[in-house]
Amino acid sequence: MNALNQINDLKARMGQSIIGQTDVIDRLLIGMLANGNLLIEGLPGLAKTRAVKAMARNLDGSFSRIQFTPDLLPSDVTGTEVFQQTDDGGTFRFEAGPIFANIVLADEINRAPAKVQAALLEAMEERQVTVSGTTHKMEPLFVVMATQNPIEQEGTYPLPEAQLDRFLMHVQITYPPVEDEVEVIRLVRGEEIAAGKGGSKDAPPTIPQDAVFAARAEIGQIHVSDAMDRYMADLVQATRTPGALSEELASWIDIGASPRASLALDKGGRAHAWMNQRDYVDPADIRAIAHDVFRHRITLSFEAQGSGKSADDVISEILQLVALP
C-alpha cells in the first residue's frame, strides 16, 4: 500500500469516529503532513479532543494529553531532573514530561499561564527541550495539536499574537447540521452498547509512521510554479498593505501576516494538492487553506470589530481582491 492509500485509510478511520467534520479531519492531516502544529478552536462538545484522539488511535506512535490548568508548571510539560540515590552517592536523571510524544494534545491551552505556554511553544518551534543545561530532542514525528474554547474568559490566558504565529493553521470547528447530529447520537449510543457488552471487535492494524514520512517526501516533490509563488506572496502582502486594494479593507486591518504565513501557504498548499492526487499546486489549494493560515495572523482594527467583521470576512475579501495567477 502506497503512502496516499495509507493516509486515505487513516482519514477514513477518523471519519468513522468524527461525524460531519470532514474539513477538520483534512486540516488535521494537512498539519501533520506539513510537519506543523495546529490550534483547534470550537465551542464545548464539538469533538475537538475526540478528533485528535481518533488520529492518534489509528496511527502507530505515542500519544499524550496535557490538560492545561492555571496551576500548571513548565516542568509539568517538559519534564525535570530527578535525584536518584545510588551506591556511589547519587545522580540526577531526566524524567521526560508529556511533551515527549509523537502526537501531543494540549487541551485548553489558554488556561495555562504564560510561562507554561512559552515552554510548550518553545518545544514546538525548536523541536527540543533544554533542562539543566542538557538538550533533549523530540521524536522525528512530533505534532502539537492545541485546543481552546472561545467563549470562556474567566481563568484564561489568551495566547499573544507572536506565539499564535507559531501555529501552522488555526482551525475552527462549528456546529454540525441536524442530519449529522442524528448520526452522532447513533454513533455514541452504539459505542456505549458495545462497551457494555465487553468491548468492540478487534481494531485493524495502525497506520505506520513510515507512511507519514513517505508522504512528506512525496509532498516535497510537488511542483510549485513561479506564478503560484507570487500568488502566495501577493496574498500575504495584501494583509500588510490593504490600502493598495481597497480603502475599506485598509480600515479593517491593523497588523498583517508575517512571513510564516507565506511558508504555511506553501507547505499546506502542497499537502492539499498531494491529498487530492495532483503533483502540482493550483490556486484552489491555496484558497482552500487561506482562512486557516491567516485567521490567527491578522489583527483586526476597532472599526472592523465594531462593524461586526470577523477575520474570516476580511480574508474572504482579500481572496476576492487579489488577482488569480
Side-chain angles (χ1 to χ4, degrees):
M1 185 180 293
N2 62 30
L4 181 60
N5 289 337
Q6 289 177 309
I7 296 302
N8 283 335
D9 186 17
L10 176 58
K11 178 179 177 179
R13 295 188 198 183
M14 293 173 64
Q16 294 173 358
S17 299
I18 310 298
I19 304 297
Q21 299 285 7
T22 55
D23 287 345
V24 174
I25 294 173
D26 282 342
R27 297 304 179 269
L28 294 183
L29 292 172
I30 288 173
M32 180 178 66
L33 295 176
N35 199 18
N37 305 290
L38 299 185
L39 178 63
I40 308 168
E41 183 175 303
L43 296 171
L46 293 185
K48 300 184 296 296
T49 300
R50 184 183 177 97
V52 179
K53 283 186 172 181
M55 170 182 281
R57 183 172 61 251
N58 291 287
L59 187 65
D60 180 27
S62 56
F63 168 74
S64 67
R65 173 182 177 179
I66 309 171
Q67 185 65 51
F68 279 57
T69 56
D71 61 346
L72 206 65
L73 298 174
S75 59
D76 295 329
V77 174
T78 61
T80 186
E81 293 282 336
V82 177
F83 183 77
Q84 185 177 26
Q85 187 68 44
T86 65
D87 294 338
D88 297 329
T91 183
F92 283 93
R93 62 178 175 84
F94 177 67
E95 189 73 26
I99 192 68
F100 288 90
N102 297 123
I103 297 179
V104 178
L105 171 59
D107 223 351
E108 297 188 284
I109 188 175
N110 56 331
R111 289 199 175 277
K115 60 183 179 181
V116 180
Q117 295 175 359
L120 173 70
L121 295 171
E122 179 184 6
M124 288 166 44
E125 185 77 6
E126 305 297 334
R127 304 299 172 105
Q128 65 182 30
V129 169
T130 302
V131 178
S132 299
T134 303
T135 298
H136 306 273
K137 298 286 186 180
M138 302 299 179
E139 294 289 332
L141 177 60
F142 173 68
V143 181
V144 173
M145 297 189 178
T147 70
Q148 67 178 14
N149 179 346
I151 60 172
E152 294 184 8
Q153 304 300 325
E154 185 176 354
T156 62
Y157 304 82
L159 289 168
E161 286 78 3
Q163 294 186 355
L164 283 172
D165 196 32
R166 299 186 184 187
F167 288 97
L168 182 80
M169 294 190 294
H170 177 189
V171 182
Q172 285 189 338
I173 302 182
T174 57
Y175 285 124
V178 64
E179 295 83 2
D180 290 336
E181 193 137 3
V182 172
E183 293 300 319
V184 170
I185 295 171
R186 293 170 178 167
L187 172 65
V188 175
R189 181 193 300 145
E191 291 175 346
E192 291 174 350
I193 293 173
K197 291 180 178 180
S200 58
K201 60 183 180 180
D202 292 337
T206 55
I207 306 298
Q209 291 187 27
D210 287 344
V212 177
F213 299 134
R216 288 177 179 177
E218 293 179 11
I219 290 169
Q221 301 301 314
I222 296 290
H223 175 69
V224 185
S225 67
D226 293 343
M228 289 306 307
D229 285 341
R230 182 56 188 259
Y231 181 57
M232 290 185 282
D234 284 344
L235 288 174
V236 176
Q237 187 65 24
T239 69
R240 301 170 188 163
T241 57
L245 298 176
S246 161
E247 290 185 7
E248 186 178 43
L249 186 62
S251 68
W252 292 345
I253 301 177
D254 269 354
I255 303 174
S258 76
R260 283 195 181 108
S262 302
L263 301 177
L265 287 175
D266 176 51
K267 294 177 180 178
R270 283 185 283 123
H272 188 273
W274 181 84
M275 289 181 64
N276 285 274
Q277 304 182 48
R278 279 184 280 102
D279 61 358
Y280 63 92
V281 174
D282 69 12
D285 298 310
I286 305 303
R287 296 168 73 87
I289 63 168
H291 287 81
D292 303 290
V293 168
F294 286 129
R295 188 175 286 131
H296 57 302
R297 289 188 166 98
I298 60 174
T299 302
L300 300 185
S301 66
F302 288 114
E303 182 174 342
Q305 297 175 43
S307 301
K309 296 293 181 182
S310 67
D312 284 352
D313 294 331
V314 176
I315 297 164
S316 296
E317 185 70 12
I318 291 172
L319 292 175
Q320 289 289 331
L321 294 175
V322 175
L324 290 169

